[in-house]
Amino acid sequence: MESPGAACLAEVKRTLEHFPDAPLKLEQRAQSLVITPQTPGSYPITVYDQGEDVMIAADRWHTHEVDPKQAAFAVLWLLTPYYRVIHELKGGLLVAVWIERLENEGWVPFEPVYFINPEYAPDWELGDGETYRHRIVQQNVLPSPVVYSQLYPDAVLDADGLPSDYQAGVRVVECAEPVGPSLFEPEDDEEDEETGH
C-alpha cells in the first residue's frame, strides 16, 4: 500500500504535469521531487517523501502535509505571485521565515519557522547597530489555480491581476520591530486537551 508521503509526492508531480509549457524543471529523486523554476529571481521547491507525510521546502521555509491535494495546492501557490516567502533578519542573523498570502486585508503571514526561540524576548532584542529587515522573495511562474479576484474580491491587484506591490525576485525592507514572535502559536499539550486543564 502506498504511504501518505508517496501519495502526496505523486499528486504534486501529476498536478505539475498539467502545466507542460511552464518554465519548470522537475527532477525526480528516490524520495523527493525538486521543482526548479527557469525564470530569473525564482527559487526551487523540494517535496520530500517522509513516509507518513511530505515536507515541502522553499527558500529556508518548510511545512508538512498529509493530504495529497493539499500538498499539490501548497506547491502550486508557492509558484504564484500571490504567495511570498519572508525572511526576518536581526542584524545579519536569520531569525524566522514564513509565508505570506495576499488576502482581502493585504499580505497575511502564516506557518512561521524559527531559528531562535520565539518565546524568549531577550533573544529578539537588537544589539548595537542592528536593525530588523525583511527579505521578501516572490515569483510568478504559474497562474493562480483559481480566479483570484473571486477568491479575495477586495485584494488589491493591478491591471494584470497581480498583487499591486508585486516584485519578482528579492527585495529587502527595514522594519521597526520583529514580526516573528507575534506569529508564534504554542502547540496545545495533548494532556491538557484530554483533561481540560
Side-chain angles (χ1 to χ4, degrees):
M1 183 174 166
E2 190 175 46
S3 71
C8 287
L9 193 65
E11 183 64 23
V12 169
K13 188 173 182 186
R14 249 190 320 273
T15 300
L16 291 174
E17 286 170 352
H18 290 295
F19 301 93
D21 298 326
L24 291 172
K25 177 184 172 189
L26 304 182
E27 183 183 349
Q28 179 77 56
R29 298 180 182 167
Q31 297 296 112
S32 65
L33 177 66
V34 181
I35 304 144
T36 307
Q38 305 295 292
T39 54
S42 296
Y43 52 84
I45 300 166
T46 305
V47 184
Y48 299 94
D49 174 359
Q50 297 190 311
E52 293 305 310
D53 66 11
V54 288
M55 181 173 73
I56 300 167
D59 210 3
R60 307 288 302 269
W61 171 85
H62 69 273
T63 191
H64 294 265
E65 294 288 351
V66 296
D67 179 83
K69 293 289 184 195
Q70 290 295 329
F73 272 106
V75 170
L76 286 181
W77 281 115
L78 285 167
L79 292 165
T80 75
Y82 307 98
Y83 273 44
R84 61 189 191 180
V85 179
I86 308 294
H87 295 152
E88 185 158 76
L89 298 122
K90 175 182 171 255
L93 178 68
L94 178 63
V95 293
V97 58
W98 59 84
I99 295 295
E100 288 187 343
R101 173 178 52 228
L102 183 64
E103 297 185 6
N104 289 327
E105 60 271 29
W107 290 102
V108 176
F110 64 101
E111 294 196 20
V113 175
Y114 295 98
F115 301 99
I116 62 174
N117 186 346
E119 297 182 284
Y120 186 63
D123 281 353
W124 295 83
E125 292 173 6
L126 292 173
D128 289 341
E130 289 184 331
T131 58
Y132 274 104
R133 293 174 294 133
H134 285 172
R135 181 178 181 266
I136 303 168
V137 189
Q138 200 169 10
Q139 59 186 357
N140 184 10
V141 182
L142 292 180
S144 169
V146 297
V147 177
Y148 209 77
S149 59
Q150 290 178 2
L151 186 62
Y152 295 109
D154 295 327
V156 181
L157 304 174
D158 66 17
D160 296 320
L162 297 173
S164 61
D165 61 350
Y166 171 71
Q167 185 176 332
V170 177
R171 63 187 157 114
V172 178
V173 296
E174 286 205 8
C175 306
E177 56 188 41
V179 172
S182 69
L183 304 180
F184 180 70
E185 295 179 8
E187 292 182 20
D188 292 333
D189 184 358
E190 288 180 23
E191 183 176 319
D192 288 350
E193 288 179 359
E194 292 172 6
T195 63
H197 301 295

